[in-house]
Amino acid sequence: MSGGIEDITDDQFDQEVLKSAVPVLVDFWAVWCVPCKAIVPALEQIASAHQGKLKVVKLNVEENIGVPTRYGVRGVPTLLLFKNGDVKETFVGSISKDKLLGGITKHL
Amino acid sequence: MTMNETYDVLILGAGPAGLAAGIYTGRARLETLILEKAIPGGQILMTDLVENYPGFPDGVVPMELMEGFRKHAEKFGARIETDGVRSLRREKDLWIVTGENREYAARAVIVATGSVYKRLGLANEARLIGRGVSYCATCDGAFFREVPIAVVGGGDNALTEALFLTKFASKVYVIHRRDKFRATRILHERIMANPKVEVLWDTVILAIHGESKLEALTLENVRTGAANKIAIEGLFVSIGMVPSTDFLGDLVHLNEWGQVKVNQNMEAGRPGLYAAGDCCDACPQQMATAVGTGVTAALAADAYLQRLGSGA
């Protein structure tokens, strides 16, 4: 399931995401959420195609409520693209790989 | 983009229609590739329990059911590849599909791309998706524990979602523009019997309010013209589906709802081109009818390829 997508927790968020040297795509997901599973293949393809230039991580919203609350996440899947500690792009729900790439690549 | 080989049948979409078609084309020993943009299973996976698929009197979890469909199709030789479809064109005797990853060539194509949720088209709706506005109760319901929410719609899907959401929310408004539901009688009965549900008949949503998150709706009673505002934190939109047929361009005829017009063999008016499931006009948006139309399309495609092969 991984394919370069690391699971992170609330505690790791500042270090892994906000202080990252490269842009980070954070996938907020839950086990009960089918569209969350549906976007994983696209995320894995994007992660391996942009290795070194983009980090892709996922955060389970059931086990970690701090970060989702801080960023007002109330639906899954939500994908936030962070660069230098700021949210640059927000994607909610099922999304095609094309649209996702379109939003991401201009920040790389 | 590279093209590796020519398939007998290319199936676009691995929902109930596409996978059922793949079982039949696989058993017909046709070289079959199924393209799926996400994961095999389709829209039915968004439902928590399927209660009307024949053979499952106690209901069946769609993830388990569709896992069986996938294995069944793969057992008889169909391959599934993860790729979204951008366009379809005819080149000499072949169909060429341009995907997000590469191109594919096939002698016959079965379009089983299904449909996506229809939006209300109101201001603030798109901005508040993931901030209170949702199209998937099973995904987002748990974010709304002990708060008031609303479901808009009057069909089977709307009432199923409303009933599911009563597990979490303190109150569920069902907003419906008419004075009766289209939904199946048994769902209607369950809605009326549930103490957490309040049905707002003859009511439409005029406005969605909220800055960083959804806060309230302005409603209008279409009979009396009276407007009022309700405070809610979640709005689940369930007002129907839009077929995923844009990529077909002028290749086929679409009806007024955007569904591909097909004949009784699921033929879409071009040689070797078929449509099945929710994206065609022969399928009343049920799991069982999606399967039926998928099988019909596969049988027709097999007959067509046999005619081609015999030079008839």
Side-chain angles (χ1 to χ4, degrees):
Chain A
M1 180 107 169
S2 65
I5 303 181
E6 192 190 336
D7 242 308
I8 63 158
T9 63
D10 272 353
D11 293 340
Q12 296 167 301
F13 184 80
D14 285 12
Q15 189 61 40
E16 292 291 328
V17 178
L18 300 184
K19 292 178 182 164
S20 167
V22 294
V24 187
L25 185 67
V26 184
D27 171 21
F28 295 84
W29 70 285
V31 285
W32 66 74
C33 159
V34 172
C36 296
K37 297 189 180 82
I39 62 169
V40 168
L43 290 180
E44 288 176 344
Q45 289 174 1
I46 289 172
S48 67
H50 295 87
Q51 232 165 20
K53 288 188 292 181
L54 172 77
K55 189 153 88 176
V56 183
V57 298
K58 54 193 167 88
L59 187 130
N60 182 322
V61 298
E62 267 185 301
E63 292 162 8
N64 303 281
I65 54 173
V67 173
T69 307
R70 182 163 18 144
Y71 290 95
V73 173
R74 238 182 173 180
V76 280
T78 290
L79 297 163
L80 300 181
L81 180 72
F82 288 85
K83 189 177 181 181
N84 302 323
D86 297 321
V87 177
K88 295 292 184 191
E89 297 285 341
T90 303
F91 312 92
V92 183
S94 301
I95 182 167
S96 73
K97 186 180 152 194
D98 269 4
K99 278 190 187 155
L100 204 48
L101 274 177
I104 291 170
T105 44
K106 60 183 178 224
H107 298 287
L108 300 184
Chain B
M1 298 225 177
T2 54
M3 228 177 316
N4 302 335
E5 59 179 311
T6 299
Y7 297 92
D8 292 320
V9 184
L10 201 51
I11 298 172
L12 311 182
L19 290 171
I23 294 169
Y24 274 68
T25 57
R27 286 172 60 83
R29 296 283 188 244
L30 299 172
E31 197 67 41
T32 302
L33 183 71
I34 307 177
L35 293 184
E36 169 55 50
K37 69 173 166 15
I39 51 166
Q43 198 69 51
I44 192 71
L45 296 179
M46 308 300 161
T47 308
D48 61 327
L49 191 71
V50 177
E51 285 193 328
N52 57 6
Y53 195 65
F56 296 91
D58 300 319
V60 56
V61 176
M63 195 56 119
E64 292 167 12
L65 182 60
M66 296 320 296
E67 184 63 8
F69 271 55
R70 180 187 66 76
K71 283 183 187 158
H72 201 159
E74 287 178 339
K75 176 181 173 181
F76 291 112
R79 279 210 308 114
I80 301 173
E81 189 163 318
T82 304
D83 200 358
V85 174
R86 280 186 189 148
S87 63
L88 175 67
R89 68 177 190 275
R90 186 80 171 159
E91 251 177 42
K92 291 180 187 152
D93 295 336
L94 293 177
W95 289 105
I96 310 292
V97 169
T98 305
E100 293 175 0
N101 295 337
R102 65 181 182 98
E103 287 202 332
Y104 309 84
R107 281 177 273 277
V109 167
I110 299 173
V111 179
T113 43
S115 54
V116 295
Y117 299 106
K118 191 188 281 182
R119 293 189 178 183
L120 288 163
L122 291 169
N124 294 335
E125 180 184 7
R127 188 171 58 79
L128 292 173
I129 294 172
R131 303 273 189 273
V133 174
S134 174
Y135 304 83
C136 176
T138 53
C139 307
D140 303 336
F143 286 100
F144 300 92
R145 289 179 203 276
E146 297 305 319
V147 295
I149 61 163
V151 174
V152 56
D156 280 3
N157 196 50
L159 300 199
T160 303
E161 302 243 292
L163 289 165
F164 175 77
L165 290 164
T166 59
K167 290 191 215 171
F168 308 103
S170 58
K171 177 169 185 108
V172 178
Y173 294 100
V174 175
I175 300 167
H176 185 46
R177 60 187 165 155
R178 291 189 239 280
D179 62 356
K180 58 169 86 77
F181 292 127
R182 289 187 312 277
T184 310
R185 192 71 208 172
I186 190 169
L187 294 171
H188 185 160
E189 288 166 8
R190 287 182 199 162
I191 280 284
M192 300 318 282
N194 193 303
K196 278 191 176 178
V197 175
E198 181 178 342
V199 181
L200 304 174
W201 301 107
D202 299 312
T203 300
V204 295
I205 302 174
L206 288 186
I208 296 172
H209 307 282
E211 284 306 315
S212 61
K213 65 187 181 82
L214 176 65
E215 286 162 6
L217 301 176
T218 300
L219 307 176
E220 183 188 60
N221 184 302
V222 293
R223 293 214 167 181
T224 65
N228 72 316
K229 205 167 175 179
I230 58 168
I232 48 149
E233 296 195 21
L235 172 64
F236 290 82
V237 180
S238 188
I239 56 169
M241 310 296 291
V242 184
S244 302
T245 54
D246 285 351
F247 71 98
L248 292 168
D250 296 330
L251 279 176
V252 297
H253 294 291
L254 302 179
N255 69 9
E256 58 181 306
W257 297 288
Q259 296 164 320
V260 179
K261 287 188 178 178
V262 291
N263 67 10
Q264 62 189 11
N265 294 324
M266 304 301 131
E267 291 162 341
R270 298 269 178 166
L273 185 63
Y274 308 84
D278 284 1
C279 70
C280 80
D281 71 347
C283 182
Q285 304 204 319
Q286 298 297 306
M287 171 91 189
T289 54
V291 168
T293 54
V295 170
T296 302
L299 294 171
D302 184 29
Y304 166 78
L305 291 169
Q306 284 190 33
R307 285 197 303 276
L308 270 192
S310 65

